[in-house]
Amino acid sequence: MTSARQVARSLQYRWKLLLCSLVGSTAAWLFLLHLSFPGAAGAAASPPVNMPAGGKLIPAVVEQAAAQTSLSSDAAAMLAAMRSAAGRLQAPPQAAPTDRLRSAAERTGNESALAAATQQQRAVDEQLRVLSIPQSAIPGSKVVFRDNPEYAARTAQVAVQRAHLAALQVRYTDLHPDVVAAREQVAVAERHLAAVPRTLLETVSVAAPNDAVAEAERQQKRQALEQQRASLESEIAGLRLDLTRSTSLRQRPAPQPVFRPFAATPAKTATDTAPAAALPKGAESIRSPQTAPEVEGGMTPLTWWLGSPLLAWSVLLGLASALAIVGTAEVFDRTIKGPLSLLQTLPNSALYLGSIERMRP
Amino acid sequence: MQRFSSPALASAPLFGDMPGSAAGDAYAQALDRIGGVCGTGGSIAVTSAGPGEGKSVTAANFALGLAARHHSVLLLDMSFQRPSLERIFGASPLPQGVDDVLLGRRSLAEVICRRNDIDLHLAMLKEPFRAKPKPAILEQMLQAALLLYTWVIVDCAPVREDNRVALRCDAAVLVAEERRTRRRHLAAACRLFPPERTCVLLNRHVYGA
């Protein structure tokens, strides 16, 4: 107990010496160890799992560090190669954001044109069906076509909603809730529009029908309608082909080995603001394909260096050396260390007046 | 006798006239023990083995303690190489100092000043005294001081530098600083004085360390 108190007191007086000797001896040990084991600097901090039973710690750690370094360099090379391959495969997602937005707008335009052509084809079919009815089946009357006002209103409504959808798609991606809602509204409006006929048939009574003239007119009209229908069919086929191509490019899955969290994420872009709950599990951990971690495994250079066994051994040896220096200085210290030491120094007849406490600032 | 009221420096820990504080009680206890050596009066040389161990502060505290007990006391600065009472109590208003007395140009009564705030009489050196004072003048000065005052506290030089003044006093108080004064130096200083008139004070002691 007394010796521990003496040691504590000695350290209290000699903390400057302890600090200086700790720093100096640590640096000296670091230098000596670096000279002795030049490959040990910067070795990994992981414990030597496969340490040989012989007890040679430093060579085992050095060997393990070399193996880990080669593994990490191989992994880095493989990662670079796979990233370059992914860059070649993923041309549309890695294109500029304006190009991606432009392709989305074009796809929306294709869809709108296809829907309009389909509606037009239905109208032509309806007119052809009406023309196929023999005129003699309606005695004293004539069939005429009149535009449906409800159809025009719904067409205008669909156009407005498509414009709104196109504006939203320029701003957001397809996963944005506003875009999804707008697309659903457009689909509902298009279904309603498809249910409404474009023209209304009206039977108008005529005074004296001329069968020959009417039949000729009907034939001309039917031919014109059939030509219009053929052109509409070819147009619809072309639009469907374009739409299929753009959809297949847009929904191409990401390469599996490189960005695994993105494999299940359909067409995720940098401007995506969809909530994380809507994304598949693991996709929210990485926001952009370009933002790879700078240091693999969460290991910064500071922790790498601090974890090196060379520095740890140097600090341990330096601490032991500093304590040895302080102990030596205490042993060879011949100053008065307290009242007891003073009384041992004084002759028997000298009077000890007492002690004055050290004044602390 | 001229009065002066220069402010004391805050760095000087003066507790001799403050009974109740730990340091004040320690100084009072030391004065009681010195009274056992010197009786009711005399000259006390405060010295040490080496420089910078707290001689001047100890001498000042002894003088303050005696003045607080209403004794007639003179604090005499005889630390020729490093006069330091001026640092503690402020500069003397007199144009002359103890060095003039040592050179035989003035009498001791002409160089004594008194502070306004405390009833303490001081005779201070104006500057470091490089010349070697004559023993006869030293003897005369100490005798004149003892004629004027009951107690004369002499702030002396370290005994390793100059021990002529300390050897002419009635008692010597050796100040030893903890963890600074070497044991053999203190023992050598103690051997200079008669053991029955030698006192030792441990300065800057760290309690409970």
Side-chain angles (χ1 to χ4, degrees), chain A:
Chain A
M1 189 67 182
T2 306
S3 59
R5 191 175 295 171
Q6 286 175 351
V7 168
R9 193 169 181 175
S10 171
L11 289 179
Q12 179 186 357
Y13 276 100
R14 303 187 184 278
W15 64 272
K16 287 180 183 173
L17 176 65
L18 178 69
L19 194 64
C20 294
S21 55
L22 176 63
V23 172
S25 54
T26 300
W29 277 112
L30 190 62
F31 180 68
L32 287 176
L33 289 177
H34 180 68
L35 287 183
S36 303
F37 307 101
S46 58
V49 180
N50 299 324
M51 191 177 75
K56 292 187 176 182
L57 177 65
I58 297 294
V61 171
V62 169
E63 185 180 352
Q64 199 175 24
Q68 293 287 340
T69 306
S70 65
L71 277 177
S72 65
S73 62
D74 291 346
M78 191 180 296
L79 181 64
M82 293 175 82
R83 277 180 177 168
S84 65
R88 286 196 299 275
L89 286 175
Q90 280 191 313
Q94 289 181 357
T98 54
D99 295 342
R100 289 198 294 270
L101 294 174
R102 193 179 300 126
S103 66
E106 286 176 357
R107 191 164 63 90
T108 307
N110 282 341
E111 288 174 353
S112 305
L114 180 62
T118 307
Q119 293 294 328
Q120 203 170 354
Q121 186 189 20
R122 281 179 192 160
V124 169
D125 287 343
E126 181 67 22
Q127 290 178 10
L128 282 173
R129 188 183 63 78
V130 170
L131 284 176
S132 63
I133 301 172
Q135 195 67 20
S136 58
I138 313 168
S141 64
K142 185 181 179 180
V143 176
V144 294
F145 296 95
R146 189 173 61 84
D147 289 336
N148 191 356
E150 186 182 356
Y151 182 86
R154 288 192 181 274
T155 304
Q157 183 184 359
V158 167
V160 168
Q161 288 181 350
R162 277 178 185 158
H164 179 57
L165 176 61
L168 286 176
Q169 280 182 334
V170 168
R171 187 178 301 171
Y172 306 115
T173 62
D174 291 343
L175 290 177
H176 195 276
D178 293 347
V179 176
V180 173
R183 193 182 295 119
E184 286 177 0
Q185 288 175 358
V186 168
V188 169
E190 284 176 348
R191 279 199 300 274
H192 290 167
L193 182 64
V196 175
R198 184 174 185 177
T199 55
L200 294 174
L201 291 177
E202 283 188 357
T203 306
V204 184
S205 59
V206 293
N210 190 345
D211 290 342
V213 174
E215 188 63 25
E217 286 179 357
R218 286 178 64 187
Q219 286 298 330
Q220 283 179 359
K221 200 164 190 174
R222 179 179 291 175
Q223 285 178 1
L225 286 173
E226 282 178 351
Q227 285 178 0
Q228 188 179 357
R229 187 173 186 276
S231 66
L232 281 173
E233 280 180 350
S234 64
E235 186 183 354
I236 287 172
L239 287 173
R240 277 181 179 161
L241 185 62
D242 291 344
L243 192 62
T244 307
R245 189 181 299 144
S246 63
T247 305
S248 64
L249 281 176
R250 199 172 162 79
Q251 293 181 347
R252 172 175 291 177
Q256 288 288 336
V258 182
F259 303 121
R260 191 171 296 279
F262 288 93
T265 309
K268 183 173 177 58
T269 62
T271 57
D272 191 6
T273 55
L279 298 175
K281 185 180 181 181
E284 66 274 7
S285 60
I286 302 173
R287 280 292 172 190
S288 172
Q290 286 84 9
T291 56
E294 293 180 358
V295 182
E296 277 75 13
M299 198 74 151
T300 64
L302 180 62
T303 55
W304 185 276
W305 172 244
L306 283 180
S308 68
L310 195 71
L311 189 61
W313 279 105
S314 302
V315 169
L316 280 178
L317 291 171
L319 184 61
S321 304
L323 288 175
I325 290 171
V326 169
T328 306
E330 184 68 17
V331 166
F332 288 100
D333 183 15
R334 298 299 180 195
T335 60
I336 293 170
K337 298 172 185 172
L340 186 62
S341 171
L342 179 66
L343 290 174
Q344 289 173 352
T345 307
L346 292 179
N348 291 332
S349 55
L351 180 63
Y352 174 59
L353 293 179
S355 56
I356 307 298
E357 191 177 358
R358 177 187 289 268
M359 300 308 298
R360 298 178 187 281

Side-chain angles (χ1 to χ4, degrees), chain B residues 13-188:
Chain B
L14 299 177
F15 294 97
D17 56 345
M18 292 172 60
S21 65
D25 289 344
Y27 283 119
Q29 199 173 4
L31 282 175
D32 291 340
R33 290 179 180 173
I34 289 172
V37 174
C38 296
T40 56
S43 59
I44 300 172
V46 181
T47 183
S48 67
E53 295 178 355
K55 295 181 300 294
S56 300
V57 172
T58 303
N61 279 302
F62 281 163
L64 286 171
L66 288 170
R69 294 178 184 186
H70 306 291
H71 288 286
S72 169
V73 57
L74 171 70
L75 179 56
L76 187 59
D77 193 356
M78 299 288 272
S79 180
F80 300 134
Q81 301 295 324
R82 286 172 286 271
S84 51
L85 286 185
E86 219 174 71
R87 284 193 294 114
I88 298 174
F89 292 104
S92 167
L94 301 175
Q96 62 273 11
V98 176
D99 34 6
D100 293 315
V101 180
L102 292 173
L103 292 172
R105 296 195 289 235
R106 302 276 180 178
S107 66
L108 181 64
E110 290 178 287
V111 300
I112 293 174
C113 58
R114 181 185 174 190
R115 283 186 62 100
N116 281 336
D117 49 351
I118 45 180
D119 191 13
L120 179 63
H121 295 201
L122 298 113
M124 293 189 278
L125 286 164
K126 296 300 288 184
E127 54 189 12
F129 189 73
R130 306 293 181 191
K132 206 169 184 179
K134 294 178 181 176
I137 293 180
L138 289 177
E139 290 281 356
Q140 288 173 9
M141 192 169 67
L142 286 175
Q143 288 174 2
L146 284 174
L147 285 175
L148 291 172
Y149 298 94
T150 309
W151 292 94
V152 178
I153 308 296
V154 186
D155 181 19
C156 297
V159 291
R160 291 166 62 194
E161 295 177 1
D162 191 345
N163 55 14
R164 287 168 295 174
V165 179
L167 286 174
R168 285 171 172 80
C169 292
D170 297 331
V173 175
L174 282 165
V175 179
E177 183 182 348
E178 189 171 290
R179 293 273 169 176
R180 176 168 180 149
T181 306
R182 292 184 180 274
R183 280 182 282 186
R184 61 186 179 91
H185 292 165
L186 183 65

